[in-house]
Amino acid sequence: MTNDSDSDGGSRTGRGRGRGVGLAAVRGLALALVSLPGAVLCFVLSAVSIALIPIGIGIVTTPYVLTGVRMFANGRRVLAAEWGGVRIAPSYRPLPADANPWARTFGMLGDPATWRDLRWLPVDMTAGFVTALLPAALLLYPLEGLAIAVGLWRVLPDGYWYGFVRVTDQASALGAGALALVVLLFAHFFAARVLHGHFLLTRAVLGAPDRELAERVRVLTETRRDAVDTSAAELRRIERDLHDGAQARLVAVGMDLGTIEALLDKDPAKAKELIAQARRTSVEALSELRELVRGIHPPVLAERGLGDAVRALALRLPVATEVTVDLPGRAQAPVES
């Protein structure tokens, strides 16, 4: 029973490894056929577009070209995760959605991840192409040797070399077949690992260095702390404004209403005066609440952006103020707030 189960497990392992070799060969061949022309095209377009920046044409074309390079690199990241189990996290800096071509061009060129993509392209079209094609070559090359061993050598030119075996007769053809079996055995054990090595090479070039990731974590931690501190300060300001303004006036209205209730029968004239005062106080409280809401998120900020919101705020100052705004575009809503 034990021997049967062991043999069944071994046969399943062998079949699984055989399927893995074939799958690695097919995937590697497809990857090689796509990576070489894709990497060459992306590299040439990037070099030409960046070279045209001084005359202005590159300002328009570079964002589109680099976006294409990022899509090509992200596609390889997806394949690395799905086919090789190698995760390569993208680390591109965000750009404003409505940034102008100038800001997008130099924003992307100032991103270290962009230059990692560009450095990866020559690697992918050389070493990457070889490591992607090698699993298929390891699986297909032995077929030639086996064909030579069974008689193909008879139609080959005299002195044909298969690997390091010179085929001249049936004996040397059998030697070529033996070499083919060795290569096939090597492919059986290492084809999938070679493809995995391709993705490890990709991660080594495309992946962000540890120090850069640590710096990004530090910056994100600081900005998050600043955002939390800003939110806490804003909440304290709102609480103070409510306590000192609208809340105090509403308390006064409540007290006036209590006094009015007591004076309504005894002194109607005084009660009428207090009613008018309570009305004025309620109007002032409502006005302060509106001002408070506008201060939280002014309508002009939502409609016209940060620049016009600052200009509108300057118009309300008691002294003459001139505002100059130079922004590449609208920032994200949390940043504007």
Side-chain angles (χ1 to χ4, degrees), residues 34-104:
V34 172
S35 65
L36 181 60
V40 171
L41 179 63
C42 288
F43 185 78
V44 171
L45 290 178
S46 299
V48 172
S49 183
I50 293 174
L52 293 176
I53 288 178
I55 63 175
I57 298 176
I59 298 294
V60 179
T61 60
T62 298
Y64 296 101
V65 173
L66 293 183
T67 299
V69 172
R70 291 185 176 188
M71 293 174 61
F72 184 67
N74 284 333
R76 190 61 53 86
R77 290 185 176 96
V78 172
L79 293 181
E82 294 182 354
W83 290 359
V86 178
R87 300 196 175 277
I88 310 171
S91 56
Y92 301 114
R93 294 175 181 174
L95 294 171
D98 56 349
N100 57 46
W102 180 276
R104 290 183 63 83

Side-chain angles (χ1 to χ4, degrees), residues 35-36 39-40 120-132 198 201:
S35 65
L36 181 60
V40 171
W120 167 70
L121 293 175
V123 175
D124 190 53
M125 69 179 71
T126 52
F129 173 76
V130 172
T131 53
H198 168 87
L201 174 65

